[in-house]
Amino acid sequence: MVTRSTRNLILLGATGSIGRSTLAVLRAHPEAFRLTGIAAYSSVSVLLEICREFSPKRVCLVDPGAAERFQSQVDDSSIEILSGQSGLTELAAAADADIVVNAVVGAAGLRASLATVAAGIPLALANKESLVAGGPLFQEAIAVGKPPILPIDSEHSALWQVLNGERRESIRRILLTASGGPFRQLPTDAFADITVEEALAHPTWQMGPKITVDSATLVNKGLEVIEAVNLFQVPIDAIEIVVHPQSIIHSMIEFVDSSIVAQLSRPTMVLPIRYALFWPDRVPGDDGRIDWNELRSLTFEPPDWERFPALGLAVEVARRGGTAPAIYNAANETAVAAFLERSIGFIEIPRIIERTLEASTLVDHPSLDDILTADATARETARRGMEKVKW
Ligand code: NAD
Ligand code: MG
């Protein structure tokens, strides 16, 4: 391995599930990275703790009230405090950053991802909603590979690892694996009674609440299909979803000669985060190591498109392009927030996405403004649609 000098790293979404796993990687490799900036929405006490441990120079709290509270509590007066979306975007393009990890949840991370890419800084991307909503805006950077977009999502990390050194023309199919979520075997007539607690109990992954609900509706797999189309520039028809409940195979590529290559590990986000941060190197680590004496079987089945209608909608919006994926995403974010607040039922989530898409006017070759407008309008449409179905 080539020894590299210490790199400056900015972590957006530092207090979340991916944020914490990223800090665990930094803790294990203090010589490799210097955490120079962190951002989160409003968790003052967690950010203060991270400051005590890692001494970043800049901290952004997107919520202005939380930024004020942070300011009154922080001991180190040399820390620069930023706030608002503009603070997040500024931090995402920091002149001295060598790599930015975007682990913000939702389309709120879009402008930050674009700012990092525009500044030419390598972007380690967990925030899939950026690539879903803003797909057309990332195409140029992705096509030339500069700056690199280093996927953290486990399936896309798997595909990236499998593609290593292969030609894109050699791909026949991407086999995107899915755990199937907690309701894979639940009878259709029980879906109406699904509770928030049941939706938050994922069988194989520990994640933030929004993505956990997305994994239960299979919206997460839908977002990942769009993410894969954008990242690997393959046609939507070249992607097949394979339900694999053990979450050991994180995705596979079938090449034109019918060889299939897969990436396997126990389910942990530490492995893909570490791979993204150290790429093209691999560093030793045991997280994710498989015990072949314990592992007995890997099973596969096709997804149930009827019970999980949000999946089919995602394929439709991927095919439609333009602002359609941004609208799908925004409607879902709005519906999931309402479900988590217990104001709508689980089965309303795909219905709200569908109705919002039907009520929306699409823009084919959107600018950032078009995408932000589509996102805001879709949230409003979804909210109005929910008024009718509230519990
Ligand atoms: P989380 O809810 O645990 O954390 C979200 C983070 O984003 C927090 O730090 C929060 O303060 C911050 N945040 C929330 N709203 C914000 C806003 N408006 N502006 C700025 N920051 C904001 O979420 P998570 O599970 O860590 O997921 C983060 C991202 O990574 C999501 O896009 C998710 O889809 C993706 N992802 C997560 C996992 C996982 O295992 N958790 C796996 C793959 C991909
Ligand atoms: Mg994933």
Side-chain angles (χ1 to χ4, degrees):
M1 188 173 98
V2 183
T3 315
R4 289 200 262 192
S5 52
T6 308
R7 284 182 289 158
N8 291 340
L9 182 144
I10 306 271
L11 175 55
L12 313 178
T15 59
S17 162
I18 294 289
R20 286 192 302 275
S21 297
T22 305
L23 293 174
V25 172
L26 302 188
R27 206 170 276 128
H29 300 279
E31 74 301 340
F33 298 99
R34 190 181 303 114
L35 184 64
T36 53
I38 53 175
Y41 187 69
S42 63
S43 334
V44 174
S45 57
V46 183
L47 289 172
L48 285 168
E49 239 171 72
I50 300 172
C51 286
R52 279 193 282 273
E53 183 179 357
F54 290 93
S55 310
K57 294 184 296 182
R58 306 170 92 196
V59 177
C60 174
L61 291 100
V62 173
D63 175 30
E68 279 175 25
R69 287 201 301 284
F70 180 88
Q71 180 133 41
S72 67
Q73 291 176 41
V74 70
D75 305 325
D76 181 353
S77 58
S78 69
I79 292 181
E80 184 188 344
I81 302 166
L82 305 164
S83 78
Q85 254 292 334
S86 59
L88 187 71
T89 314
E90 189 184 330
L91 193 58
D96 63 349
D98 297 310
I99 183 166
V100 173
V101 177
N102 189 342
V104 167
V105 63
L110 170 61
R111 273 180 286 193
S113 288
L114 289 169
T116 301
V117 169
I121 306 166
L123 172 64
L125 188 65
N127 179 245
K128 65 189 83 180
E129 296 91 343
S130 288
L131 260 189
V132 169
L137 309 174
F138 290 96
Q139 287 313 314
E140 201 185 312
I142 289 168
V144 296
K146 279 200 170 116
I149 297 183
L150 316 161
I152 284 180
D153 212 349
S154 56
E155 296 76 2
H156 306 75
S157 175
L159 295 168
W160 180 34
Q161 294 182 52
V162 166
L163 261 179
N164 214 347
E166 297 281 355
R167 289 182 214 287
R168 202 159 303 262
E169 306 83 74
S170 304
I171 302 174
R172 180 187 285 157
R173 279 192 305 170
I174 281 181
L175 302 163
L176 196 72
T177 51
S179 72
F183 309 128
R184 184 172 61 89
Q185 291 172 317
L186 191 75
T188 316
D189 56 12
F191 271 54
D193 301 323
I194 289 172
T195 65
V196 171
E197 288 70 24
E198 287 165 342
L200 287 179
H202 195 277
T204 49
W205 292 99
Q206 293 286 324
M207 309 176 284
K210 189 258 177 186
I211 183 178
T212 306
V213 175
D214 287 352
S215 302
T217 54
L218 295 204
V219 163
N220 184 50
K221 211 47 56 183
L223 296 175
E224 290 184 353
V225 167
I226 304 169
E227 186 184 5
V229 165
N230 286 327
L231 267 179
F232 302 107
Q233 310 206 300
V234 292
I236 177 78
D237 295 324
I239 299 184
E240 188 160 335
I241 298 165
V242 179
V243 174
H244 162 49
Q246 297 82 17
S247 302
I248 295 289
I249 296 183
H250 299 298
S251 279
M252 312 178 250
I253 294 181
E254 180 184 318
F255 292 100
V256 286
D257 61 357
S258 299
S259 254
I260 294 178
V261 183
Q263 186 262 340
L264 289 72
S265 75
R266 277 197 296 110
T268 167
M269 289 309 293
V270 169
L271 198 157
I273 292 169
R274 201 173 41 216
Y275 186 75
L277 297 193
F278 284 93
W279 175 84
D281 298 329
R282 283 190 186 269
V283 293
D286 285 340
D287 319 75
R289 197 166 187 193
I290 293 171
D291 180 348
W292 291 94
N293 288 314
E294 258 177 33
L295 184 63
R296 284 290 173 276
S297 65
L298 300 176
T299 61
F300 308 94
E301 59 196 51
D304 187 331
W305 298 88
E306 274 166 34
R307 282 194 307 154
F308 298 101
L311 197 53
L313 290 171
V315 172
E316 272 176 43
V317 300
R319 199 164 272 131
R320 181 62 184 76
T323 47
I327 294 164
Y328 173 96
N329 176 68
N332 176 60
E333 283 189 33
T334 312
V336 170
F339 170 68
L340 288 170
E341 285 164 12
R342 299 168 204 270
S343 50
I344 61 163
F346 185 82
I347 51 170
E348 293 299 337
I349 299 172
R351 293 180 184 160
I352 286 159
I353 300 173
E354 185 169 24
R355 284 203 301 268
T356 306
L357 282 164
E358 280 165 7
S360 300
T361 312
L362 304 183
V363 177
D364 280 332
H365 301 287
S367 63
L368 174 59
D369 275 350
D370 293 329
I371 287 172
L372 295 176
T373 304
D375 174 285
T377 311
R379 282 170 206 264
E380 190 45 43
T381 308
R383 266 193 290 271
R384 266 188 278 115
M386 284 185 319
E387 287 304 319
K388 296 175 199 144
V389 295
K390 271 198 174 164
W391 280 3

